[in-house]
Amino acid sequence: MKKSLLCLGIETTAHTFGASVVLYEKDKFNVLSNVRDMYKTEKGGLVPVMLSEHHVECFDRVIKEALNISKKSLDDIQLISFSQGPGIGHALRIGSAVARSLSLQLKIPLIGVNHCVAHLEIATIYDSSDPVLLYASGANTQIIAYDGGKYRVFGETLDVGIGNFLDSFGRDLGLGFPAGPKIDLMAQKAKERNAKYIELPYNVKGMDVSFSGLQTILRNKIRNNELKTQEQIEDICYSVEETVFAMLLEVSERAMAHCEKNELVLGGGVACNSRLKEMAQQMCKDRNAKCIIPENQYLVDNAGMIAVLGIKMYNAGNITKIETSHINPYERTDDIKVNWKE
Ligand code: FE2
């Protein structure tokens, strides 16, 4: 049995400042608190400098709230874990500065973790053993699985991430950030009145996907005033969801067959989408596989998963020295040597 630990996790790869207190005891992870504050806009997208301002403004309050909910104080914390990469530099820098300061102030170890790997490792709390992860978020669209000592990317987007694609489509429609939930709502309205499916490009190349061609076609439809009525807008939202989620599930299924794995786990904010969840469950049912859909609080960017991975890495003998705790905005999933899996 590994050492019991109380860890404070800090997440700041993009729009969210997250803080979470996780207790590891008797080989079990207990997420005592998982608090988030997300930067949102009424119109327009994310501006990196605004993210850092948001994170600076809220970090103290979010951390205090995470400690209060967990009924712990800073003095109880034994390990600080933070997302070191990949992500937006302006945002990552705030989390790493907070984490480094706390580690120095409290004289406790620091561990920098990879955000994408954390999305996979949180599946542990759902008794997952060896899954394929469909990671569908703003900047990231990857199919990841463990193979030969590393988490390897078996498929990914060749251009824009699924969430960024949906947000840019939403921006063209005049929606704010995040646009995904609003697009989903319109797709549901279309389904309630027998939606009309509009044929759209379906771009799957092996285990990779591409959204930029579709993005241009949708932008042109909006600019050329082809979507005049609310019903037409709802139908296009419905058709976009059906098309892009089918692409994601096709490549996930191909990766499961290729890796001979029988578990799919969802991760990323886009995985909160009800239609994507439904399609994932159907695909797994069809191939007799287990479909693990974590609660939404663990699908979106959150510090709970950062703390869980931090504890696993620390217990395997890893530690991040202050001198090497700089951020890695372009860190890849397969850059990480996995030494914590038995
Ligand atoms: Fe994420």
Side-chain angles (χ1 to χ4, degrees):
M1 196 185 294
K2 305 266 173 62
K3 212 173 123 187
S4 77
L5 269 175
L6 188 70
C7 176
L8 172 68
I10 292 171
E11 155 61 30
T12 59
T13 49
H15 41 62
T16 297
F17 189 98
S20 166
V21 178
V22 174
L23 174 67
Y24 177 75
E25 211 175 31
K26 296 178 186 155
D27 276 343
K28 289 235 172 313
F29 293 93
N30 189 358
V31 182
L32 303 179
S33 63
N34 193 19
V35 182
R36 284 173 285 120
D37 194 307
M38 183 184 179
Y39 173 78
K40 291 179 182 163
T41 71
E42 285 299 319
K43 264 197 167 167
L46 298 181
V47 181
V49 72
M50 296 305 286
L51 296 180
S52 37
E53 278 183 27
H54 168 264
H55 295 351
V56 167
E57 181 275 316
C58 73
F59 81 89
D60 190 44
R61 174 171 41 84
V62 174
I63 291 174
K64 277 182 182 148
E65 199 182 327
L67 289 167
N68 283 343
I69 294 171
S70 67
K71 298 190 173 58
K72 302 286 178 191
S73 76
L74 264 186
D75 292 333
D76 299 321
I77 302 294
Q78 298 163 296
L79 176 70
I80 303 283
S81 172
F82 73 104
S83 43
Q84 200 166 5
I88 300 169
H90 283 73
L92 281 168
R93 228 164 259 124
I94 307 303
S96 92
V98 171
R100 281 186 285 189
S101 313
L102 284 173
S103 159
L104 287 170
Q105 180 196 331
L106 301 168
K107 298 188 177 60
I108 55 173
L110 179 69
I111 185 103
V113 311
N114 178 286
H115 176 93
C116 308
V117 174
H119 271 293
L120 236 155
E121 290 287 353
I122 191 68
T124 314
I125 64 172
Y126 294 92
D127 291 328
S128 164
S129 54
D130 189 19
V132 166
L133 168 72
L134 166 58
Y135 179 23
S137 74
N140 298 295
T141 305
Q142 297 183 328
I143 315 295
I144 307 170
Y146 182 74
D147 184 42
K150 282 184 169 185
Y151 282 114
R152 301 192 190 268
V153 178
F154 286 89
E156 62 189 317
T157 177
L158 297 172
D159 36 60
V160 59
I162 175 74
N164 287 355
F165 158 75
L166 290 170
D167 284 328
S168 96
F169 169 52
R171 244 191 338 269
D172 290 342
L173 284 174
L175 310 173
F177 173 83
K182 293 171 191 164
I183 292 169
D184 195 30
L185 214 66
M186 286 201 258
Q188 277 171 27
K189 277 190 189 158
K191 276 185 272 185
E192 280 162 18
R193 56 151 181 82
N194 218 353
K196 180 175 166 243
Y197 180 76
I198 298 157
E199 201 75 42
L200 294 169
Y202 184 94
N203 287 324
V204 166
K205 295 167 189 184
M207 275 192 261
D208 295 326
V209 290
S210 158
F211 302 110
S212 61
L214 178 55
Q215 193 174 28
T216 307
I217 284 175
L218 293 169
R219 183 161 292 161
N220 288 340
K221 275 186 190 294
I222 295 166
R223 283 186 184 159
N224 298 339
N225 237 349
E226 285 174 42
L227 307 171
K228 291 191 184 74
T229 66
Q230 186 60 23
E231 284 202 355
Q232 283 172 322
I233 294 173
E234 287 166 8
D235 282 337
I236 201 89
C237 288
Y238 160 76
S239 308
V240 164
E241 279 199 351
E242 293 299 307
T243 307
V244 296
F245 295 159
M247 285 160 57
L248 295 183
L249 268 312
E250 181 187 330
V251 292
S252 304
E253 184 171 20
R254 192 162 296 138
M256 287 167 83
H258 175 77
C259 303
E260 296 179 347
K261 293 192 197 274
N262 227 16
E263 279 179 10
L264 177 74
V265 63
L266 298 187
V270 178
C272 294
N273 183 291
S274 57
R275 182 61 182 140
L276 180 62
K277 287 179 184 175
E278 199 176 72
M279 286 166 91
Q281 276 161 333
Q282 186 62 53
M283 182 271 275
C284 288
K285 196 173 160 216
D286 290 348
R287 45 181 304 117
N288 227 351
K290 190 171 164 186
C291 185
I292 300 153
I293 305 180
E295 288 165 62
N296 283 358
Q297 64 161 325
Y298 300 123
L299 288 174
V300 295
D301 288 352
N302 71 95
M305 64 180 193
I306 302 299
V308 166
L309 177 55
I311 291 168
K312 286 185 178 202
M313 289 176 70
Y314 180 73
N315 267 336
N318 303 288
I319 193 158
T320 305
K321 291 187 184 143
I322 293 289
E323 310 85 89
T324 58
S325 63
H326 54 78
I327 60 166
N328 295 323
Y330 300 104
E331 187 174 64
R332 283 195 52 96
T333 305
D334 41 19
D335 287 340
I336 309 299
K337 194 167 172 273
V338 178
N339 65 349
W340 60 87
K341 277 177 92 79
E342 272 105 44

